Every structure is written in structure tokens, then in C-alpha cells.
Amino acid sequence: MGNSITPAEWQVMRVAWTLGHVTSTEMIDILQCKVAWKPATIKTLLRRLVQKGALKTTRVGRAFVYEPQVEEQPTMNQAADELFDNLCEMHVGKTLLHVIEKATLSQSDINQLQDLLAKKAATAPAEVPCNCVPGMRCEED
């Protein structure tokens, strides 16, 4: 996909991924209940997502049907990678702690995290260095 998905576009994609295919009228009905956007705003978001290659549109009679062209989990993983690639490596751990603290996780998610953390602990460094400016250290918050 060419450009990153914006926060508003994520709302549209979540509906599209959940339903698999959705008309513009259905999308408007769902999002107006959820976030109270105007139909023109939603149509603009749909058009942008088609331009970005995230959605495909097909005309069926008088309706436009939208279908995801990117998979949900890989797209979310890419967005997370882009975010964490922009953070100081020294602060990634604290940011992950914050995310995990706020998230609702299933027992399976927690077990997988515990297993992964146990494996990573075996080779983890005592401290992660700052990677912001070569030769300098940033202050830890």
C-alpha cells in the first residue's frame, strides 16, 4: 500500500475488514452511529482508501461496494512497525508496557506474550542504548 492509513481511515478499514464487503450506504450508516461523521466525509475517506490501494470499489447496480485489498493483521503490524521505528530504542520497552497496560488481552494473548518474553529474556542486554543521536545518550524519563 502506498501511503499510511490515517486515524480516520482506520475507522473505515475496521468496518471493511469486519464485514468483508460493504456498500457506501452501509458504511455511512455504521460510521454515523459510531463517530457521527457527515456522509461527504465518509465518501472522501472511502475514495482516499481506494486511491491508496487499501480498498477496491465495484459498482453493483446503483450501489458502490467496497472490499479490502490489504489484510488486517499485516496492515496493523506495518503501522506498529512504522511507529516503533520512529521511537528512541531506549523508550520502546516503556511504550510497550503502556500499550499492554491499557489493552484488553485474551488468556491466549497473555500466554504468547509470556512465552515470547521468556525467550527474549535469555539474550536481552542489561540496557538498551539510545539511538537518537550518534555518540550521545538521552535521559530516561
Side-chain angles (χ1 to χ4, degrees), residues 5-18 27 30-31 34-35 37 42 45-46 49:
I5 296 174
T6 67
E9 291 167 351
W10 276 106
Q11 295 293 325
V12 174
M13 288 305 299
R14 287 176 58 195
V15 173
W17 281 318
T18 300
M27 184 67 76
I30 291 166
L31 288 176
K34 196 174 174 192
V35 287
W37 290 335
I42 297 166
L45 294 170
L46 287 165
L49 287 163

Side-chain angles (χ1 to χ4, degrees), residues 9 14 19 32 36 38 41 52 58 73 86 89 91 100 129-130 134-136:
E9 291 167 351
R14 287 176 58 195
L19 298 179
Q32 281 191 314
K38 294 181 177 166
T41 301
K52 290 180 179 186
T58 309
Q73 192 63 56
N86 289 309
E89 286 183 2
H91 297 281
I100 291 169
C130 170
M136 294 188 71

Side-chain angles (χ1 to χ4, degrees), residues 1-139:
M1 195 175 62
N3 299 331
S4 295
I5 296 174
T6 67
E9 291 167 351
W10 276 106
Q11 295 293 325
V12 174
M13 288 305 299
R14 287 176 58 195
V15 173
W17 281 318
T18 300
L19 298 179
H21 62 280
V22 60
T23 66
S24 54
T25 303
E26 291 169 329
M27 184 67 76
I28 289 166
D29 290 345
I30 291 166
L31 288 176
Q32 281 191 314
C33 290
K34 196 174 174 192
V35 287
W37 290 335
K38 294 181 177 166
T41 301
I42 297 166
K43 288 178 181 177
T44 297
L45 294 170
L46 287 165
R47 194 168 40 254
R48 284 184 192 160
L49 287 163
V50 169
Q51 290 169 346
K52 290 180 179 186
L55 291 176
K56 165 180 102 168
T57 185
T58 309
R59 191 178 183 113
V60 179
R62 298 181 71 183
F64 287 95
V65 177
Y66 294 87
E67 294 178 69
Q69 294 300 289
V70 293
E71 293 181 46
E72 185 173 14
Q73 192 63 56
T75 303
M76 289 189 294
N77 291 351
Q78 180 183 351
D81 289 346
E82 288 171 6
L83 169 65
F84 281 91
D85 285 348
N86 289 309
L87 300 180
C88 172
E89 286 183 2
M90 188 174 178
H91 297 281
V92 167
K94 285 189 172 129
T95 303
L96 284 171
L97 284 170
H98 171 79
V99 169
I100 291 169
E101 186 175 47
K102 291 189 69 156
T104 301
L105 301 169
S106 70
Q107 290 289 324
S108 174
D109 292 335
I110 292 168
N111 289 335
Q112 288 179 46
L113 281 167
Q114 288 174 329
D115 290 347
L116 181 59
L117 288 172
K119 287 177 190 167
K120 289 187 81 67
T123 59
E127 185 178 294
V128 177
C130 170
N131 67 332
C132 297
V133 179
M136 294 188 71
R137 291 187 48 82
C138 31
E139 305 255 336

